[in-house]
Amino acid sequence: MEQQDRHGPDWEGVRLHVVSGKGGTGKTTVAAALALALAAEGGRTLLIEVEGRQGIAELFGIAALPYEERKVATVSPAKLGLPGRGPAGELYALAIDTELALLEYLDMFYKLGRAGKALQKVGFVDFATTIAPGVRDVLLTGKACEAARRKGPDGRRAYDAIVMDAPPTGRVTRFLNVNSEVAGLARFGPIHGQAQAVMRVLRSPETAVHLVTLLEEMPVQETVDGIGELREAKLPVGGVLVNMVRPPVLDAAAVAAVDGDHREEVATALGEAGLGGRSKSAATVRAAVEPLIDPLLDQAREHAERVELEREQRTAVQQLKLPTYELPLLGGGVDLGGLYRLAGELKRQGAA
């Protein structure tokens, strides 16, 4: 089988970045951070949402995005906390509306005009995309591929990079493999031609599919399975973006020692830290710190178990032999400042 994985720290030649991941891994946040990092190159980047959740608008603290490309940020390296004085780039965003995309498609190929509005009123669009979900996927992926190919009057590409916040890992291969999805539905005609054009872009060197995961068993396993499915479908795998990585609280020696009996050492350390009060009596100090010992040891054991689990999952990710990037867990959730921080991390690690 032909290997189509895209290696290299800077994704040279990649124009369309598709970002997927198991639900709960923060794929929309990571997609937005990657788009910001790419925009900081000084060009124009388009961030596309296809699931109708308006997650991009929520991240950037703006009103719901209409079905048109809107500028949402101007990005420079300095905004990402990085050195450099290059020109600022522009980030645009688009939330694709399936209904409007189908009407746009029908008007483009069949010149329906007002008749398209009539179809909208009688619910034809919902009917068509329900009985033929492959058509819906052709429309959604087709819009992203069109943006990747689009050129301005001067002959230059309209966007230097496109980032698509795609469906979760369990559905992403089927979503992207639109050729097979519409094979039994349309063997010729505009829909068939559109699917063929989409697949030419998605399987080209200009595309890379990145997967977001956490250092947890289920997300990592779904990432492994998802990469296998993408490779089987001959879709180009990009990198693995490990999100919400927590810094270790204990060093390796402390983690290794956590299984022993350390009650006396913990009690002594607490007393020396002044938690036993000002009493000079060892018995009084011990009585004061005694209630703290077991909870502290329990937390240390839980932390050691988490560190060991994350070590195992990191090893599983490394065995994929793909470019891997790690993003820190931001306490209190991701606000706009946090989003820029994550973009800076991706930039520093060479993901953009």
Side-chain angles (χ1 to χ4, degrees):
M1 182 178 66
E2 181 183 355
Q3 180 57 266
Q4 302 223 3
D5 295 353
R6 299 306 312 276
H7 293 275
D10 58 357
W11 312 114
E12 184 177 356
V14 173
R15 186 175 300 279
L16 175 58
H17 299 261
V18 180
V19 179
S20 182
K22 178 177 168 54
T25 59
K27 72 176 179 64
T28 298
T29 298
V30 173
L34 178 60
L36 282 169
L38 289 164
E41 292 288 298
R44 286 163 51 98
T45 298
L46 176 63
L47 174 60
I48 297 178
E49 181 177 62
V50 300
E51 294 186 279
R53 295 185 292 106
Q54 288 291 338
I56 293 173
E58 184 178 346
L59 276 171
F60 284 91
I62 58 177
L65 291 167
Y67 182 49
E68 61 183 48
E69 292 152 26
R70 290 276 182 91
K71 187 164 79 168
V72 296
T74 300
V75 195
S76 65
K79 277 193 173 183
L80 304 187
L82 301 172
R85 296 186 177 183
E90 296 178 325
L91 176 61
Y92 288 76
L94 169 67
I96 301 180
D97 182 288
T98 307
E99 186 174 270
L100 294 177
L102 180 54
L103 293 175
E104 180 183 70
Y105 176 84
L106 292 173
D107 186 53
M108 181 184 304
F109 285 100
Y110 298 101
K111 311 299 181 187
L112 290 185
R114 292 182 179 179
K117 298 295 182 183
L119 291 174
Q120 185 179 17
K121 289 180 180 178
V122 299
F124 168 78
V125 174
D126 287 340
F127 173 73
T129 54
T130 299
I131 65 168
V135 172
R136 175 182 178 276
D137 293 346
V138 167
L139 295 169
L140 296 174
T141 54
K143 191 68 178 177
C145 292
E146 181 276 325
R149 295 192 306 255
R150 190 190 312 159
K151 293 183 179 180
D154 59 357
R156 297 179 59 187
R157 298 278 190 174
Y159 292 102
D160 298 282
I162 314 289
V163 178
M164 181 199 294
D165 177 21
T169 318
R171 294 194 291 116
V172 72
T173 300
R174 184 174 179 179
F175 171 77
L176 295 174
N177 198 19
V178 293
N179 211 26
S180 63
E181 287 299 297
V182 301
L185 181 70
R187 297 186 182 277
F188 53 86
I191 284 285
H192 175 77
Q194 178 80 345
Q196 293 282 334
V198 166
M199 290 312 302
R200 281 195 293 272
V201 174
L202 293 180
R203 285 184 173 150
S204 78
E206 291 192 339
T207 298
V209 185
H210 312 297
L211 296 187
V212 181
T213 189
L214 307 179
L215 290 178
E216 297 174 5
E217 188 172 1
M218 288 185 63
V220 168
Q221 185 58 55
E222 191 160 315
T223 299
V224 172
D225 295 341
I227 288 170
E229 291 172 4
L230 288 167
R231 286 171 171 165
E232 187 175 354
K234 297 183 179 178
L235 289 162
V237 179
V240 179
L241 300 125
V242 183
N243 196 23
M244 304 185 208
V245 176
R246 291 173 287 191
V249 176
L250 303 178
D251 60 23
V255 169
V258 79
D259 289 330
D261 182 6
H262 301 285
R263 293 180 59 83
E264 291 301 324
E265 294 145 281
V266 171
T268 300
L270 292 175
E272 291 175 350
L275 296 181
R278 296 181 178 180
S279 173
K280 295 182 180 180
S281 166
T284 303
V285 171
R286 181 57 185 256
V289 302
E290 183 70 30
L292 303 174
I293 296 175
D294 285 334
L296 284 173
L297 288 173
D298 288 342
Q299 287 186 27
R301 292 187 189 100
E302 289 175 7
H303 178 75
E305 289 172 2
R306 177 174 68 80
V307 169
E308 178 61 21
L309 174 63
E310 291 180 351
R311 186 192 65 78
E312 293 172 358
Q313 300 311 314
R314 185 175 277 110
T315 299
V317 170
Q318 291 169 347
Q319 288 174 348
L320 294 170
K321 300 188 185 306
L322 292 169
T324 302
Y325 311 92
E326 294 196 0
L327 295 171
L329 174 67
L330 302 181
V334 180
D335 57 11
L336 192 55
L339 190 61
Y340 276 84
R341 178 184 167 190
L342 295 178
E345 283 293 328
L346 288 174
K347 191 78 174 161
R348 270 188 287 270
Q349 294 178 45

